[in-house]
Amino acid sequence: MPRWFTRMARQLGALGVTVLLGGALTATLVRTSPGFDTDERLLDPRLDAQSRAAIEAEHAADGNVARFYVRHVGALLRGDWGISPSLKAPIGTLIRSRLPVTAEIMAIGIAGGWVLAFTLALAAVLWPGWARVGGALSVTALSVPAAALAVLIFSTGGPIRAIIALILFPRLFDFLRNLLADAYAQPHIVTARAKGLNPALILIRHVLPVCAPQLLALAGVSASMAFGAAIPVETLCDLPGIGQLAWKAALARDLPVLVSLTMLITLLTQICNAVSDWAGAGLQKGHA
Amino acid sequence: MTRRFLPVLVVAFTSTALAQIGGDLRFCLRADPKTFDPLLVEDDNSEAVRYLTGGVLLRVNRVSQQFTPELAASWKVDEQGRRITFHLRHGVAFSDGTPFSADDVTYTMNRLMDPQLHSATADPFRSSSIPPRITQLSADTVSVTFGAPVSGLERLFDQVAILSAHSPRKLAAVLGPFQVAEYKPGIEVRLSRNPNYWKTDAGGRRLPYADQIHLQIQQNRDLELVRFRRGEIDLINSVDPEVFERLAHDAPSSVTDAGVSLESEMMWFNQAPSAPLPSYKKAWFASQAFRRAVSEGINRADLARIVFKGHAQPAAGPISPANRFWFNTTLRPHPFDVPSALRRLQEEGFQMRNGQLYDGGGHAVEFSILTNAGNRSRERMATMIQQDLTALGMRVNVVTLDFPSLLERMTQTFQYEACLLGLTNLDLDPGAQMNVWLSSAANHQWNPNQKSAATPWEAEIDRLMRRQASELRPEARKRLFDRVQQIVWEQEPFLYLVNKDSLMALSPQLQNTAPAAVAPQAYWNIEVLRKSSQLAGNR
């Protein structure tokens, strides 16, 4: 059996176990959270005993978390995401309709955050005067809470889709600046700069290959950072994405939606990390 | 060729002109509607869609609070309130052109009463163990016969949107002024005008005036306000007093206070015997003198003035003055009277020492008030009550929880001492409050699900509520329910604090607005709402 096949099988196994564990942990946390068994509809004084019993029976179905989880995973394997008890809609449809919104703001946020952070980090390394500018911008952006930034940009009519970029920028900037500073301090790069080689060539041929594994690892982490930022941004700016769905589901203690989203996000994060690991390993091998 | 072309031009010109009469209206829903099936509506957002799209047999006019004929040209209640007979309007068609007939009413009622449907709208119809019988007497006459007399029978039909028995479009075929044209989850429900809507204005023009309604899904109320200020939406059906004041300052013509609403804010003490509370606290909460003292220690006028910026009034009892017929006009809000409160407490064996109140057993009087987190008005009210009750030597802690957690404590674990919440009466008739006042009911919040009434006054309320439910003469019912209100005022199981005003924001471009205190306050007359033509054309 080829080594790559064994390695891939091992990684896929680890991926599956992580996703299942993530889902199980979420199910347990949601099930034990205060207010899980309640239903606002029961406050409706119009309801008679039969209707109240029917609502209570709906909740009883998800009462045993182990039984719920096994049933839910079984249904997922058959392609059935189930129905959201709080939104009364198929979870698959909810995710499909909201995924493009989140994917778009995450893509713009990651791309924007990287361009901004990389440009300023490079400027800070090459021209020391820029270090203060980049540092000041980074500290300012870091000190403003994501929610406040979202409200500020939305209420002033600013570009909502740029919010995640501004949230990611300071988190990427420090790391990139240190990484690039280390790379530019390498003796062969110092020599190349001293000899007056084209700075763009130095960056592309010498600096980036040195930093590539760490950059790829950071790219993998950026995806989960961007999703973390998407939750408050979508909620506050009323963007109908996965982050907003997760927030609504959390408030409503919507077990099937929360478990499904956790599994999906764990899967996507793991895939991003695995791809960046593979690419980094491949580059290192090629470099050697 | 010219003769053929001319009518096309006329139709095109007429439709363009009509489009400029009403234009598109835009306002917000707080969340996605959970259902588009009008018989399964349970949440406010689905209710908004049902109101805008559903045709009903009769409607409670939101301003006059009187029944008005809609799809039923007339009706008659007989057999001592056991039967209601509707004579249907002629020449009415669903939005897809399918004619409306008695078949549709029969179909709707049969579907509504299906026990498997578990419709909250159906439950009030089940006043006895015998299900209602629907009889089609002719093509335009239908009767519904109940197992037992039902008081205030007509009001139940205000919320029953008639479905089509024959239309291939099923639920999409409607009789209301608008129909659902598009639903983008999380973004918008777009309604288009029902081309076959039966109502016309005084000039014979077919209603509604507006061409489309964009119900934008907007959970965040601050952003809703931003959108209103930008002119992106035309109305906010309910605004809180702080926002109202800000808007009134910036654009006075954009806000309306329609007077006191049906909503009230109230507080109650946990009197459930199974509550995990020390017995001495249970004794305080069960004491009428203690509750009355707390009530007299709360400055309701200040709550109305400070928390609600003057857009509320001290509440006297369970029915708001906005409910013209059922409000007991003899009741007055309990006055803010600290000396009287202290006297009551002293008579009950409480003692004040160094500014702290102690009960007869030497326990310091301290309790917590639970309310839902994120509701700024309630959080402020709780803080003000905390402040007021220090004058009685009571230490009050304010606890805010998210709603599911609060609900768990309130309805399952009973792990709370006092609770501050609001009550929204959607139904004017007290019959809708049976499950609040009967001691055996689950919504009898201060001590739910009692096997037999725990106190003589609760037993009396039980008797009065049952009697009014089987009494058909409105005046006699009123007398019975006035007595219920009187008992609640005396015993104060609920401490009614304030009745909030009905506040809304309406774009100055909107015409024919007639704000009401009863929901849906701003758009109850949606058929005639329109934008001024010049501006509508520009949008």
Side-chain angles (χ1 to χ4, degrees), chain B residues 5-180:
Chain B
F5 193 58
L6 190 61
V8 176
L9 265 181
V10 169
V11 168
F13 175 77
T14 311
S15 58
T16 309
L18 278 174
Q20 288 187 348
I21 287 171
D24 290 5
L25 299 179
R26 290 174 169 80
F27 53 98
C28 294
L29 298 178
R30 301 269 176 269
D32 289 89
K34 288 184 181 172
T35 180
F36 287 100
D37 185 337
L39 302 187
L40 292 178
V41 166
E42 285 172 346
D43 59 299
D44 292 346
N45 306 300
S46 307
E47 172 57 30
V49 174
R50 175 169 73 178
Y51 188 87
L52 296 166
T53 60
V56 293
L57 293 169
L58 54 90
R59 183 71 93 193
V60 176
N61 182 295
R62 266 46 178 179
V63 171
S64 68
Q65 300 185 3
Q66 301 295 313
F67 295 115
T68 54
E70 290 274 318
L71 296 170
S74 64
W75 64 89
K76 187 181 170 196
V77 177
D78 50 16
E79 286 189 25
Q80 294 172 327
R82 284 182 60 240
R83 188 171 74 176
I84 184 164
T85 305
F86 295 103
H87 299 283
L88 306 182
R89 201 173 286 281
H90 295 144
V92 176
F94 283 85
S95 52
D96 65 342
T98 307
F100 163 65
S101 71
D103 282 357
D104 303 311
V105 180
T106 307
Y107 168 74
T108 304
M109 289 305 298
N110 281 330
R111 182 163 179 261
L112 180 71
M113 299 317 301
D114 179 355
Q116 298 306 312
L117 194 68
H118 295 301
S119 164
T121 310
D123 286 352
F125 283 93
R126 297 192 183 100
S127 59
S128 76
S129 55
I130 304 165
R133 195 177 69 249
I134 298 99
T135 315
Q136 201 168 317
L137 303 171
S138 71
D140 63 354
T141 310
V142 179
S143 75
V144 184
T145 309
F146 294 83
V150 181
S151 55
L153 182 55
E154 296 101 317
R155 72 188 158 87
L156 301 180
F157 291 89
D158 178 83
Q159 298 198 336
V160 182
I162 303 299
L163 308 176
S164 172
H166 304 297
S167 168
R169 298 196 67 215
K170 301 288 178 193
L171 292 175
V174 295
L175 290 162
F178 293 91
Q179 57 186 334
V180 176

Side-chain angles (χ1 to χ4, degrees), chain A residues 257-271:
Chain A
V257 171
L258 287 170
V259 169
S260 303
L261 286 181
T262 306
M263 295 174 88
L264 179 71
I265 292 158
T266 310
L267 183 70
L268 293 177
T269 309
Q270 289 289 311
I271 288 171

Side-chain angles (χ1 to χ4, degrees), chain A residues 153-168:
Chain A
I153 292 182
F154 182 86
S155 54
T156 53
I160 298 170
R161 283 163 176 75
I163 297 171
I164 290 183
L166 292 176
I167 294 169
L168 283 190

Side-chain angles (χ1 to χ4, degrees), chain A residues 104-118 141-142 149 153 159-173 225-226 229-230 233:
Chain A
E104 186 194 342
I105 63 163
M106 279 177 65
I108 293 171
I110 291 171
W114 268 83
V115 167
L116 196 60
F118 193 86
L142 201 58
L149 198 63
I153 292 182
I160 298 170
R161 283 163 176 75
I163 297 171
I164 290 183
L166 292 176
I167 294 169
L168 283 190
F169 152 69
R171 288 156 181 84
L172 298 172
F173 173 77
M225 281 199 287
V233 170

